[in-house]
């Protein structure tokens, strides 16, 4: 995480808005934040931590954090922090608190908003997952990036067990805790083993002997089926010959009937064929000529009608064109003198504007005289209101001097609120303890109701019951399995007869057949006992769940009871400490009655001040109102003077432009008469222009239109002459065709052509009939020749059909039997293969379960995690010693003892080991700094960031000048390792040596302020 910019306002001692730009500080690599004790240096780091994670080291959420973090003179607190994360992505976190205007101690903590920079735009993020963005949890953040006061030596002072736990959390060593994973895998493997064992039991009856027996039966049935198929084939051939003969006799009868029907239609088809020939001849000869004759006659009629219309239109256009031409000549003469009329109209408009300017100038002069009077009155009113305001200001300052300091009142009020808050917390904890005691007693009664033999060893007692039931189930299952085997053997024995093969050994000779008794009753008894034991086992599981739930509930309640008891003790100590913090002398110590009376007096004074301030503000507004009126009236007078000068200039300028008209004559007219003169001249000019324009447009439209209709009339006349010639030629051609086809008139042609015969369809129908007739005649002749001297025996055919039906059913049954036996053989072979595969799986999983059981014993008790943690700690020691040797001039070294605790090797005393608690304050800082840097490097290397940031908030005051030099050199070299180090200190020597730093100065009135030092 690399900081970019931090904005804070209303937080702790920071009253006004402060913006800290880290850009130049980050570029320097090493920078400091300096200031006196209590100036607010550490608050900068706390603002960053709280802005990101919503957590602080100074106080927790139970301490009314929002109220206590807000500056007492502020109504809101703001934290706005911009930073780069380990992926070099730019983010911004914004938090804001607001104080309730009606209740001073009620501070609402607003929700934080996270933004991401996307192409220069801050885009709000849906989820506030700071740990994912920064790459560190809050605990790791304060140990590796920003180390608050009081936490710098935490790592080295932790005990071995706590330090191991911390390493486990920081480096995620939980991934090496394989006990639970191994246990889950072992349970899963055991379950798989049980499932496969169950499946194997279902294949216990599948044997190679049974498969062989089924194969023999399959061969026998196949041979029987083949014999039946041969017989069926021979009989079927005879049947098919008889059936073919029967079909031929039936077909001959049907074809004779069809031939008679076709011969009845033959005369009609011959007549249709003749009619088709005549229609095709006349259609080919006359259709084209008749169509052309009709089209030509239609064209003659259309052209004659169009000629009449065009002739009329030409006459009308010639008359209109002559009229427009005459009127245009007159309009052209008037249009030539239009410029002179426009010039006189322009001058007349100027005279009109000059007259309006004279009238406006007279009105301005009158307004100017009235305005002078208003300015004098407004100046007098302004002077009087100023004197009243000064008197009210003196009265207000006098009563403000007697007001009690509100800061002191707010601090005392906060003390009483905190005392009430602690009292309420104590009462709440005591109520919780009472409820917990009741719940614990109820759980104890429920545990007594379980009727356990030994409450302290209840788990062993349940385990004994569980093992007992499992043993009984196993014994019964073995007994049941033996009975079923005996029952199966007895069944085989009963089915054995001399000469028949044994299903087990295959022998056909059975000298000593097993004589077994009936074990059905024993099997039924075993099954009843097994059901009873499993029922007891189920009841035991329910009993065990209830027992575990009660003991877990009691353990949780006891933990909560102890936590609340400790909380009550802490709150009482906090209350005692709070009472010692009362330092004010304005009232008796902790006398709330006096404080309430003091607040009332202060409130009365404040009310008087509020009243006077309102009056004072009213007078200020009144003064400003009078001043505004003076300014307004003065400005208006200036505007009037400017407007008057402008009007005079306008009159002089326009008068010089009048040449053609007598200006005095027209100025003497009334304004309405002058306006009428202007309108009349404007109307005359517009009338001349419009008439000339309209006549010109008409001329331009009529001229080409007249030429067009005259040309069209000539074209139509020529077309009519040509069309009449074509009509005569077509009439002569029709007479010739009638004579050729020996017809008297066109009516005979029309009578034939009006039938509208579809030639293609008619020809296709005739051809289809002729083909069908020939095919049927041929079929009848063929069948008569084939069946000549042959007779069909219906009785013999029926008898053969019955034989085929019976044989067909027998073949079907034999085939189904063969298929069924083949299916059984295939199923048995698959089951046997499955059985062998399951046996292989069972052996492999059984071996895996044995190995997992061994691993489970190895990983229990978190031994492997402790081992890995020790390796990480040793690596940290090696990394820390690289700097610790330098800081101590190779006199001291850090190592881990057998208890996983840090100790010091003192090379000045023959390399003897001693406790880290024997180190001086300066040496403790040195070893803590070395470890902190090593820890930060290890953790931040996990995030794969190429540039890292580290902040130290304490420790340099314990170093002598030589040690300070070494520490400073060490921190300076970190910049070369791409690390950025920030230091918070009040040591002046460090401030002089660090070129880039911030200074925090606390002002009594304005609060803490941040100043950049270059």
């Amino acid at each position: 995480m690399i900081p970019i910019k931090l904005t804070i306002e209303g937080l702790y001692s920071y009253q006004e808005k402060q913006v800290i730009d880290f850009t130049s500080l980050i570029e320097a690599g090493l920078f400091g934040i300096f200031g006196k004790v209590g100036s607010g240096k550490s608050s900068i780091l706390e603002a960053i931590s709280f802005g990101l994670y919503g957590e602080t080291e100074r106080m927790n959420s139970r301490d009314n954090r929002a109220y206590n973090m807000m500056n007492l003179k502020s109504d809101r607190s703001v934290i706005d922090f911009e930073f780069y994360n380990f992926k070099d992505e730019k983010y911004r976190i914004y938090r804001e608190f607001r104080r309730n205007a009606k209740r001073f101690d009620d501070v609402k903590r607003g929700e934080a908003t996270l933004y991401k920079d996307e192409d220069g735009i801050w885009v709000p993020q849906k989820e506030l997952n700071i740990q994912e963005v920064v790459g560190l949890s809050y605990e790791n953040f304060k140990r590796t990036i920003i180390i608050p006061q009081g936490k710098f030596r935490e790592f080295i002072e932790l005990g071995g067990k706590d330090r191991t736990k911390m390493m486990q959390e920081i480096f995620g060593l939980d991934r090496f805790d394989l006990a639970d994973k191994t246990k889950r895998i072992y349970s899963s493997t055991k379950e798989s083993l049980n499932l496969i064992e169950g499946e194997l039991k279902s294949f216990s009856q599948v044997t190679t002997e049974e498969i062989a027996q089924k194969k023999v039966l399959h061969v026998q049935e196949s041979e029987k089926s083949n014999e039946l198929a041969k017989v069926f084939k021979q009989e079927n051939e005879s049947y098919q010959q008889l059936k073919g003969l029967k079909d031929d006799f039936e077909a001959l009868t049907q074809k004779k009937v069809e031939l008679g029907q076709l011969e009845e239609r033959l005369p009609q088809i011959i007549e249709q064929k003749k009619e088709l020939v005549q229609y095709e001849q006349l259609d080919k000869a006359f259709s084209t000529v008749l169509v052309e004759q009709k089209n030509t006659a239609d064209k003659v009629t259309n052209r004659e009608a169009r000629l009449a219309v065009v002739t009329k239109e030409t006459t009308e256009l010639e008359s209109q064109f002559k009229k427009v031409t005459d009127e245009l000549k007159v309009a052209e003469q008037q249009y030539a003198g239009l410029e002179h009329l426009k010039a006189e109209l322009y001058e007349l408009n100027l005279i009109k504007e000059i007259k309006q300017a004279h009238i406006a100038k007279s009105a301005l002069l009158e307004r100017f005289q009235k305005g002078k009077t208003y300015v004098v009155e407004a100046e007098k009113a302004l002077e009087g209101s100023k004197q009243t305001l000064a008197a009210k200001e003196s009265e207000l300052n006098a009563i403000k001097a007697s007001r009690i300091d509100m800061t002191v009142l707010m601090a005392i009020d906060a003390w009483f609120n905190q005392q009430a808050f602690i009292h309420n917390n104590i009462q709440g904890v005591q109520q919780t303890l009472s409820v917990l005691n009741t719940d614990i007693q109820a759980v104890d009664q429920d545990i007594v109701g379980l009727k356990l033999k030994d409450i302290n060893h209840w788990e062993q007692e349940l385990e004994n019951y569980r093992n007992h039931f499992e043993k009984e189930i196993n014994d019964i299952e073995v007994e049941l399995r033996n009975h079923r085997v005996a029952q199966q053997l007895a069944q085989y024995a009963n089915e054995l007869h001399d000469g028949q093969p044994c299903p087990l050994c295959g022998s056909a000779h059975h000298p000593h057949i097993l004589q077994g008794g009936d074990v059905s009753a024993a099997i039924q008894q075993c099954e009843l006992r097994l059901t009873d034991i499993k029922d007891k086992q189920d009841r035991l599981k329910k009993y065990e769940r209830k027992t575990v739930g009660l003991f877990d509930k009691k353990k949780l309640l006891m933990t909560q009871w102890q936590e609340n008891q400790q909380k009550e003790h802490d709150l009482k100590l906090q209350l005692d400490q709070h009472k010692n913090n009362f330092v004010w002398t304005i009232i008796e110590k902790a006398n709330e009655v006096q404080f309430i009376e003091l607040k009332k007096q202060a409130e009365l004074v404040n009310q008087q001040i509020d009243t006077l301030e309102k009056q004072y503000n009213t007078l200020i507004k009144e003064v400003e109102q009078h001043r505004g009126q003076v300014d307004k009236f003065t400005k208006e007078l200036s505007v009037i003077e400017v407007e008057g000068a402008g009007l005079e200039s306008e009159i002089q300028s326009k008068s010089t432009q009048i040449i053609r008209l007598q200006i005095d004559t027209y100025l003497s007219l009334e304004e309405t008469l002058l306006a009428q003169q202007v309108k009349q001249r404007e109307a005359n000019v517009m009338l001349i222009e419009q008439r000339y324009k309209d006549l010109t447009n008409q001329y331009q439209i009529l001229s080409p239109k007249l030429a067009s209709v005259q040309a069209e009339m000539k074209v139509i006349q020529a077309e009519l002459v040509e069309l009449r010639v074509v009509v005569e030629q077509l009439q002569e051609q029709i007479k010739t065709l009638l004579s050729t086809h020996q017809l008297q008139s066109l009516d005979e042609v029309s009578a034939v052509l009006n039938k509208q015969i579809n030639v293609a369809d008619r020809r296709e129908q005739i051809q289809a009939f002729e083909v069908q007739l020939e095919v049927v005649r041929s079929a009848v002749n063929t069948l008569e020749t084939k069946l000549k001297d042959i007779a069909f025996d219906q009785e013999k055919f029926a008898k053969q059909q019955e034989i085929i039906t019976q044989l067909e059913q027998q073949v079907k049954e034999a085939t189904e039997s063969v298929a069924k036996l083949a299916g059984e053989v295939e199923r048995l072979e698959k089951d046997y293969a499955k059985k062998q595969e399951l046996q292989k799986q069972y052996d492999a999983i059984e071996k895996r379960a044995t190995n997992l059981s061994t691993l489970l014993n190895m990983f229990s008790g978190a031994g492997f995690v402790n081992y890995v943690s020790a390796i990480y700690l040793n690596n940290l020691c090696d990394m820390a010693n690289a700097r610790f040797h330098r800081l101590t001039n190779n006199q001291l070294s850090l190592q881990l003892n057998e208890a996983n605790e840090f100790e010091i090797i003192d090379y000045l005393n023959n390399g003897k080991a001693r406790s880290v608690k024997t180190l001086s304050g300066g040496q403790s800082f040195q070893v803590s700094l070395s470890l902190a840097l090593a820890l930060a490097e290890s953790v931040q290397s996990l995030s794969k960031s190429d540039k890292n940031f580290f902040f130290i908030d304490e420790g340099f005051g314990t170093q002598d000048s030589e040690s300070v030099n070494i520490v400073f050199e060490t921190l300076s070299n970190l910049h070369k390792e791409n690390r950025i180090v920030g230091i918070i200190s009040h040591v002046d020597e460090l401030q002089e040596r660090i070129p880039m730093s911030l200074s925090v100065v606390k002002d009594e009135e304005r609060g803490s302020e941040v100043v950049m030092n270059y």
Side-chain angles (χ1 to χ4, degrees), residues 480 483-485 487 519-528:
L480 184 61
H483 286 319
R484 285 176 175 164
V485 170
Q487 186 184 42
V519 293
S520 299
I523 291 175
Q524 184 177 7
Q525 186 64 29
C526 287
E527 289 176 344
L528 290 173

Side-chain angles (χ1 to χ4, degrees), residues 980-1009:
I980 302 158
V981 180
I983 299 170
I984 289 184
S985 179
H986 58 272
V987 178
D988 295 334
E989 184 179 351
L990 278 176
Q991 184 172 4
E992 294 172 359
R993 298 183 63 176
I994 296 178
M996 187 70 68
S997 65
L998 300 174
S999 293
V1000 182
V1001 181
K1002 188 173 183 180
D1003 185 88
E1004 293 298 330
E1005 291 296 328
R1006 303 176 62 184
S1008 297
E1009 296 179 340

Side-chain angles (χ1 to χ4, degrees), residues 104 204 240 328 405 484 517 557 565 699 702 745 851 922 984:
F104 185 80
S204 61
Q240 293 298 329
L328 182 59
D405 188 358
R484 285 176 175 164
L557 290 172
Q565 193 176 44
Y699 180 84
L702 289 173
S745 66
N851 294 336
I984 289 184

Side-chain angles (χ1 to χ4, degrees), residues 754-772:
N754 287 339
K755 293 179 181 179
Q756 297 291 323
I757 297 173
N758 189 322
V759 176
D761 288 349
R762 178 69 63 85
R763 183 178 288 110
E764 184 178 352
Q765 291 171 6
I766 293 169
Q767 290 175 353
F769 175 83
E770 291 174 345
V771 170
Q772 185 180 6

Side-chain angles (χ1 to χ4, degrees), residues 462-621:
L462 294 177
E463 182 66 22
N464 292 338
Y465 278 116
R466 192 160 47 247
N467 293 336
H468 173 70
F469 289 148
E470 287 179 357
K471 184 177 182 304
E472 285 193 6
I473 288 172
N474 289 333
D475 293 343
I476 294 171
E477 286 179 343
V478 170
E479 183 180 353
L480 184 61
R481 196 179 305 117
N482 293 333
H483 286 319
R484 285 176 175 164
V485 170
Q487 186 184 42
Q488 189 68 38
L489 289 174
Q491 183 178 349
Y492 287 152
N494 291 333
E495 294 176 354
L496 286 178
H497 302 285
D498 286 334
Q500 293 182 351
C502 174
L504 299 178
C505 65
S507 174
H509 181 60
H510 317 295
H512 303 290
I513 298 176
L514 175 68
Q515 300 298 321
D518 187 5
V519 293
S520 299
I523 291 175
Q524 184 177 7
Q525 186 64 29
C526 287
E527 289 176 344
L528 290 173
R529 287 166 54 204
L530 184 63
T531 302
D532 182 58
I533 294 299
K534 288 186 176 179
D535 183 58
K536 290 180 180 179
Q537 195 178 43
D538 291 339
R539 292 201 301 272
L540 177 64
K541 289 180 181 178
K542 294 179 182 177
Y543 180 82
E544 184 177 3
R545 286 197 294 269
K546 180 179 180 182
T547 304
V548 172
L550 287 174
F551 277 100
D552 286 347
K553 184 176 181 181
K554 182 177 179 180
K555 183 178 179 181
L556 177 62
L557 290 172
M558 289 300 298
T559 302
Q560 293 176 349
W561 186 85
Q562 292 170 0
E563 289 176 352
N564 280 276
Q565 193 176 44
Q566 181 63 38
K567 192 183 295 184
E568 181 185 21
H569 178 264
D570 294 343
L571 287 171
K572 288 181 178 178
L573 291 177
Q574 186 180 351
L575 182 61
D576 294 338
Q577 179 65 34
H578 183 70
K579 290 179 179 178
N580 295 331
N581 291 338
F582 194 93
V583 296
W584 299 279
T585 58
I586 192 171
I587 60 173
E588 293 180 4
K589 186 172 183 178
N591 191 329
E592 191 170 5
V593 176
Q594 287 187 2
F595 177 65
I596 293 172
E597 185 62 33
L598 187 65
K599 283 175 65 177
K600 289 180 180 179
Q601 293 176 8
E603 188 174 352
L604 288 174
V605 172
N606 287 335
Q607 289 176 357
Q608 293 176 1
I609 292 173
D610 289 342
T611 302
L612 290 174
E613 284 181 342
K614 289 179 181 178
Q615 294 174 357
Y616 180 75
N617 291 331
T618 302
L619 289 172
I620 289 176
K621 292 179 181 178

Side-chain angles (χ1 to χ4, degrees), residues 16 30 61 122 193 204 217 278 416 435 455 470 487 534 569 649 769 771 799 821 834 895 944 992:
E16 297 180 357
L30 176 64
S61 58
W122 288 116
L193 193 64
S204 61
L217 290 174
Q278 184 187 25
F416 279 112
V435 172
I455 293 178
E470 287 179 357
Q487 186 184 42
K534 288 186 176 179
H569 178 264
S649 175
F769 175 83
V771 170
K799 185 178 180 181
L821 286 169
K834 179 68 173 178
Q895 73 172 17
K944 301 179 181 179
E992 294 172 359

